[in-house]
Amino acid sequence: RRFWKDYPNIEELVGYVGKTEDEVFTMFTESAFYSPNGLEATAPIFAEAQFKELPSPLGQILASTQTFRRLPIPDRTTMLGLLVAMNDFERNEKTFEAYDRMTAHELFIRMKISKRMVDDFLRPTLLVGLFKPLEELSAAVAMELLYYYALAHQTSFDVRWIKKDSIGESLIAPLARILTDTYGVKVLHSSRVASIKLKASDLSTVNSISYADPSSWIPGGVKQYLTDIDACVLAVGAKGMSAIMKGSSELGRQVPLLTRAGALGSIDCVACRIWLDRKIETLAPANVLSNMPGLRGAGGTFFMLEQLQDERELWAVDGDEDATASYPQGSVVACDFYNAGSIALLSDSDIIDVLMTELLPTAIPAFRSATVVDSHVLRCPGAATWFSPGSFPSRPTTTIPGVNNLVCAGDWVRMGAREHGAKGLCQERAYVSGLVAANALIESGRLRDRESGEPLRRTHEVVPVREDEPQVKVGRRVNKAVMDVLGAVGLDSFWVR
């Protein structure tokens, strides 16, 4: 639900659906990090720092001097060791894959990051940013995320949130209406792809798709088919890819990469919403829970929604704001868990009880005096991409070798020469990957104008993120020059294998 500063394509999408950024997003906000010892740190609004935007990483260092409440300065300075890795890990594809094979935890040890810095800051940051503990994350993808904190522009780590409803209601639904009303697109909602078939006379072309619509979910239901299709976009994660490839043996034989992608792991998430009988004051609307036994190994966040969205709508009954008069107008708290397999095994009532008696009061003691008026728990098994060590070569590519009208989209897709600056578990990256996939189909001549029948020629411009600052570019050039020399004797990036 978060939107970082450098999301230029999503900002363009906001205008395309006829809205303004002020209508869709909140202001940029601070975030607070809590442990069993209380408040550990705050993530400031870097754009509002005392020192206006300074060269990176100086700006981030100065803006963060007062944000750590317990972490000693000597531990913080050990983060400087990561600057070497950040300048190095994208030097070339071979180097990136070497970092990808290593866990983030192992890299931090080799870069001499202090244990306390890892446990109190890096571990919770990555657990809620990439949804897995350090021991189960690719070091390369961890570097991609931390780059935004340490080496990108001072303001790149500033974050804001959806102001009203949800992302689906604020952005996806208006876009769907434009596609259906203006371009005649038919959305087969609630339908699940069962298989993808290749043309019998040409195994390099997808010819048909079978799918199950709601009417075929019942026993005896009949599958539906789309035939003679122009192109197919696989906009799914590992869980969806696995389900599709199980029914697409022909495609699996033709494209082994897709079966490898479907075999990659994914991450369970749990989302909760709690309505309380009283207001709870917090330092920040967005908060991170870390190192608490009640998390059971999961990452945890909680958001004070009344500080971010219209309070009347949060308490509306069946969408009727006029029906809120007799209801308590207390805080409404959204709590999310990532890597949440152990949390998901609890009952709904037990999850809410853990939140209200253990986790939330540990962060903000005032939660102990609040009473739950209503609550809702949603389990999302396999909902997020898991960037596991060594997974990079198995992630799908935008274009699929051997099948000329099939492309992939999603935050886990490797875009190759079309690669974008948005990285990791990132809504901007997911959206951009869709634009890149559509552009690839247009460039291949597979898409035609529905009226004239002529091949489409105009691609959608993909807006790049801001360029690295000059000193960052210099640092990478110097690193490459040094590593090229060391590489001649096999000593380049000696901390990775």
Side-chain angles (χ1 to χ4, degrees):
R1 68 181 82 217
R2 59 178 175 255
F3 293 80
W4 303 109
K5 172 74 172 178
D6 290 315
Y7 274 17
N9 292 280
I10 286 182
E11 290 171 2
E12 182 184 67
L13 173 63
V14 170
Y16 181 76
V17 300
K19 297 188 178 185
T20 66
E21 290 183 38
D22 287 342
E23 288 179 287
V24 174
F25 303 121
T26 67
M27 301 293 287
F28 290 98
T29 72
E30 291 187 341
S31 303
F33 291 71
Y34 293 94
S35 76
N37 297 317
L39 180 64
E40 291 288 347
T42 56
I45 304 171
F46 287 97
E48 298 177 4
Q50 177 183 356
F51 306 96
K52 294 304 178 184
E53 196 156 353
L54 295 173
S56 171
L58 179 61
Q60 292 94 313
I61 293 171
L62 291 178
S64 301
T65 52
Q66 302 301 317
T67 62
F68 290 97
R69 303 304 172 94
R70 303 175 190 274
L71 193 63
I73 291 177
D75 289 282
R76 299 183 217 171
T77 59
T78 64
M79 270 282 285
L80 295 175
L82 283 184
L83 296 183
V84 176
M86 287 181 193
N87 276 320
D88 184 59
F89 79 101
E90 290 184 308
R91 178 161 49 90
N92 52 48
E93 187 169 335
K94 179 181 177 182
T95 302
F96 185 92
E97 290 191 14
Y99 277 89
D100 180 66
R101 290 191 295 270
M102 179 186 287
T103 70
H105 185 254
E106 184 179 1
L107 178 63
F108 295 161
I109 291 173
R110 295 192 179 190
M111 293 291 104
K112 308 299 182 184
I113 312 302
S114 77
K115 185 177 186 304
R116 187 161 179 185
M117 184 69 194
V118 169
D119 290 342
D120 291 359
F121 180 68
L122 292 174
R123 184 178 297 278
T125 297
L126 292 173
L127 194 49
V128 301
L130 293 173
F131 297 0
K132 274 288 184 179
L134 309 178
E135 296 81 2
E136 301 176 49
L137 277 177
S138 155
V141 179
M143 289 299 95
E144 288 179 334
L145 185 146
L146 292 174
Y147 156 81
Y148 280 99
Y149 181 79
L151 272 189
H153 301 270
Q154 178 180 321
T155 57
S156 293
F157 209 64
D158 285 346
V159 65
R160 54 185 172 175
W161 316 88
I162 284 290
K163 194 173 190 176
K164 183 179 179 181
D165 300 321
S166 65
I167 296 169
E169 292 165 306
S170 295
L171 292 176
I172 306 303
L175 176 61
R177 283 194 292 272
I178 291 173
L179 295 176
T180 54
D181 296 347
T182 305
Y183 297 100
V185 172
K186 183 179 181 181
V187 178
L188 302 175
H189 62 85
S190 303
S191 297
R192 303 171 183 172
V193 173
S195 66
I196 297 174
K197 301 294 185 184
L198 301 177
K199 186 180 292 186
S201 60
D202 179 10
L203 294 180
S204 66
T205 302
V206 172
N207 184 56
S208 66
I209 296 171
S210 68
Y211 66 95
D213 65 15
S215 66
S216 61
W217 294 353
I218 60 175
V222 179
K223 289 182 181 178
Q224 308 296 318
Y225 293 88
L226 294 175
T227 58
D228 195 26
I229 65 175
D230 296 315
C232 176
V233 181
L234 282 173
V236 295
K239 182 181 178 182
M241 184 74 79
S242 177
I244 292 171
M245 295 310 296
K246 285 176 183 176
S248 309
S249 57
E250 201 173 55
L251 180 61
R253 289 193 298 271
Q254 185 75 0
V255 189
L257 173 63
L258 295 183
T259 58
R260 294 203 309 272
L264 291 176
S266 53
I267 302 171
D268 298 338
C269 302
V270 173
C272 312
R273 184 167 292 195
I274 306 173
W275 289 261
L276 301 177
D277 68 338
R278 65 194 63 196
K279 292 284 183 64
I280 306 296
E281 297 298 324
T282 62
L283 184 65
N287 305 274
V288 176
L289 301 170
S290 65
N291 299 323
M292 297 179 185
L295 288 169
R296 292 166 166 77
T301 55
F302 70 95
F303 304 88
M304 309 304 294
L305 294 184
E306 76 277 6
Q307 299 179 31
L308 299 170
Q309 300 183 348
D310 187 332
E311 190 174 21
R312 294 170 302 171
E313 294 185 6
L314 294 172
W315 281 94
V317 178
D318 295 329
D320 183 1
E321 293 180 18
D322 295 332
T324 65
S326 61
Y327 281 77
Q329 300 294 303
S331 290
V332 181
V333 190
C335 306
D336 295 334
F337 297 99
Y338 322 102
N339 190 39
S342 58
I343 293 287
L345 296 177
L346 300 175
S347 67
D348 290 3
S349 60
D350 283 343
I351 292 173
I352 300 302
D353 185 64
V354 167
L355 281 164
M356 292 302 301
T357 62
E358 295 183 46
L359 300 176
L360 296 177
T362 300
I364 309 290
F367 275 105
R368 296 189 190 281
S369 62
T371 299
V372 175
V373 175
D374 198 3
S375 64
H376 178 69
V377 176
L378 177 66
R379 292 168 179 79
C380 306
T385 300
W386 177 12
F387 295 104
S388 57
S391 62
F392 181 74
S394 296
R395 286 160 51 184
T397 51
T398 297
T399 55
I400 302 302
V403 182
N404 56 36
N405 65 339
L406 178 65
V407 294
C408 292
D411 57 10
W412 67 327
V413 170
R414 293 180 286 156
M415 291 184 270
R418 303 175 177 89
E419 190 55 74
H420 190 260
K423 306 290 186 180
L425 279 173
C426 167
Q427 291 171 111
E428 173 80 358
R429 181 177 179 81
Y431 175 55
V432 165
S433 73
L435 299 179
V436 168
N439 287 345
L441 289 173
I442 292 171
E443 291 166 359
S444 72
R446 302 297 307 189
L447 300 185
R448 297 179 177 275
D449 183 275
R450 60 194 178 107
E451 294 181 356
S452 69
E454 293 296 315
L456 295 177
R457 302 295 182 192
R458 185 170 65 87
T459 58
H460 193 291
E461 180 185 2
V462 177
V463 184
V465 298
R466 291 179 288 176
E467 285 190 13
D468 285 331
E469 295 177 11
Q471 70 280 4
V472 175
K473 293 180 180 179
V474 168
R476 287 183 170 164
R477 285 199 296 268
V478 169
N479 175 79
K480 184 179 186 304
V482 172
M483 292 303 165
D484 285 348
V485 171
L486 293 176
V489 291
L491 293 177
D492 58 321
S493 306
F494 57 86
W495 49 88
V496 296
R497 300 189 288 275

